[in-house]
Amino acid sequence: MMNMYEEIRGSLHFNKFEFGEMLFVEYTCPFEDESVGIWTPMDSFIHVLSGKKSWRTTQGCWTAEKGQTLYIKKGASIIDQHMDEDFCVLLLFVSNDFIAECVREVSGQLKPHPAFPEDEQRALSIRSDVTMSSYFQSMLSYFSEKERPSGQLLELKLKELILSILLNDKNPELASYFQSLAGSVAPSLKPIMEANFCFNLSLNDYAKLCNRSLSTFKREFKAIYGDSPGRWLIRRRLEYAAVLLGNPELQITQIALQCGFEDLSHFSRAFKARFDSSPVKFRKELNGIG
């Protein structure tokens, strides 16, 4: 599964600005497949300039088209392409630490919001207004100029966007999420794993998502789940597969891929070892087929 953040940072084919961990990108989607799996270790703002695209996770599906903006938390998703028109986007990657710093700077001016649940949905649609539209137009203008903006200016522009969300009432869910980031040293491991277990990521990738070293990740995981990450992931994916087999519209191959198994034979062997039944037989028994 592609690390989109690192792919963009390491490529010369994207129109982008970098400052520290922050990454600002304007591009036309390079993907040709109808569906592609990606993950990022950073949250992102996605403002659509043209076309349409959907982001699918275990928690739901979010679609954005021209003029609309999504905020997607770090993690993995399946992107479904809509091929009718080229998909062009303005993409801003931001770290949780930077958001927390912005929150602390204006903490005395913030209105209280209901606590943001840790297992809340991975993506939020941003309600736009004149100020928000003007912001993205101003950001877009930097990509057409010959002189590149300074790092300090980029930092101020990103802070402007975050503060505008924090200090008005247009996006209370996102403002609540931002405020929750200021109150924690490291993100909770459990909601991140529950949101991303079905994606074929390495243990190093999961550790990065949780802002932990691999050794710390393994130790905390064992304390929470009483098992190793590798064994838990296989068990959790197979449990999810058993649920999906109840949907007759999904092919076995589709279910295997959606549960993080890229090899169908591996999926079939692991499923039989767990449920003492092949996926095909399990589906027939689940649906009362003799």
Side-chain angles (χ1 to χ4, degrees):
M1 180 167 275
M2 180 194 304
N3 183 333
M4 190 65 179
Y5 173 76
E6 293 295 345
E7 180 73 15
I8 293 173
R9 291 198 74 171
S11 174
L12 299 176
H13 302 295
F14 291 95
N15 190 9
K16 62 188 177 186
F17 305 128
E18 297 179 62
F19 181 66
E21 291 184 309
M22 290 181 287
L23 181 60
F24 302 73
V25 195
E26 183 264 331
Y27 74 93
T28 300
C29 182
F31 303 133
E32 296 180 358
D33 297 332
E34 288 190 4
S35 296
V36 61
I38 68 161
W39 78 280
T40 74
M42 305 271 280
D43 290 10
S44 58
F45 291 92
I46 297 173
H47 180 70
V48 181
L49 303 172
S50 68
K52 181 180 179 182
K53 189 171 287 192
S54 299
W55 286 259
R56 182 161 39 92
T57 75
T58 57
Q59 297 170 312
C61 182
W62 295 265
T63 299
E65 50 190 287
K66 183 177 180 179
Q68 296 179 336
T69 307
L70 286 178
Y71 184 88
I72 298 185
K73 292 188 283 183
K74 61 184 178 179
S77 60
I78 303 298
I79 293 180
D80 296 320
Q81 314 271 42
H82 300 268
M83 301 297 193
D84 299 339
E85 183 182 1
D86 284 344
F87 182 76
C88 299
V89 66
L90 186 60
L91 183 58
L92 312 180
F93 287 97
V94 58
S95 71
N96 290 169
D97 288 343
F98 184 82
I99 295 171
E101 181 184 328
C102 292
V103 172
R104 286 190 283 267
E105 284 187 16
V106 295
S107 59
Q109 305 173 49
L110 297 178
K111 296 180 180 179
H113 290 289
F116 190 88
E118 288 188 333
D119 59 350
E120 192 56 79
Q121 56 194 17
R122 276 273 319 287
L124 291 167
S125 296
I126 295 179
R127 299 175 184 86
S128 186
D129 55 17
V130 175
T131 301
M132 191 68 69
S133 298
S134 299
Y135 173 85
F136 286 111
Q137 284 298 318
S138 70
M139 280 303 307
L140 189 60
S141 67
Y142 291 118
F143 289 95
S144 59
E145 295 177 0
K146 291 183 179 180
E147 187 175 346
R148 300 177 68 82
S150 68
Q152 289 78 8
L153 178 57
L154 292 173
E155 184 175 4
L156 287 172
K157 290 297 294 182
L158 189 52
K159 186 174 293 187
E160 175 190 344
L161 176 58
I162 293 168
L163 293 183
S164 69
I165 291 169
L166 284 168
L167 296 173
N168 68 38
D169 297 324
K170 296 287 185 180
N171 294 280
E173 301 95 341
L174 188 51
S176 175
Y177 169 64
F178 285 171
Q179 290 184 46
S180 73
L181 295 177
S184 59
V185 177
S188 296
L189 187 149
K190 193 169 184 178
I192 292 175
M193 294 306 299
E194 292 293 341
N196 292 281
F197 71 86
C198 64
F199 298 104
N200 189 26
L201 303 178
S202 70
L203 292 188
N204 272 318
D205 294 337
Y206 282 115
K208 286 180 181 177
L209 281 179
C210 297
N211 280 5
R212 289 159 172 85
S213 67
L214 182 58
S215 59
T216 300
F217 169 74
K218 289 180 177 179
R219 185 172 61 254
E220 291 189 19
F221 191 98
K222 178 77 171 178
I224 292 171
Y225 289 102
D227 204 350
S228 71
R231 285 193 294 267
W232 181 87
L233 284 166
I234 292 293
R235 185 173 68 252
R236 189 71 179 84
R237 288 168 180 173
L238 291 172
E239 290 170 353
Y240 186 46
V243 174
L244 293 183
L245 283 167
N247 182 351
E249 296 182 3
L250 290 175
Q251 298 179 0
I252 302 295
T253 303
Q254 289 177 293
I255 291 172
L257 290 173
Q258 287 188 31
C259 296
F261 294 91
E262 295 189 348
D263 184 281
L264 183 58
S265 61
H266 177 214
F267 168 65
S268 297
R269 289 194 306 272
F271 193 92
K272 187 165 186 177
R274 173 68 177 84
F275 293 103
D276 196 27
S277 175
S278 70
V280 173
K281 183 180 177 182
F282 186 91
R283 165 173 273 177
K284 288 181 179 179
E285 292 174 348
L286 194 64
N287 295 318
I289 301 175

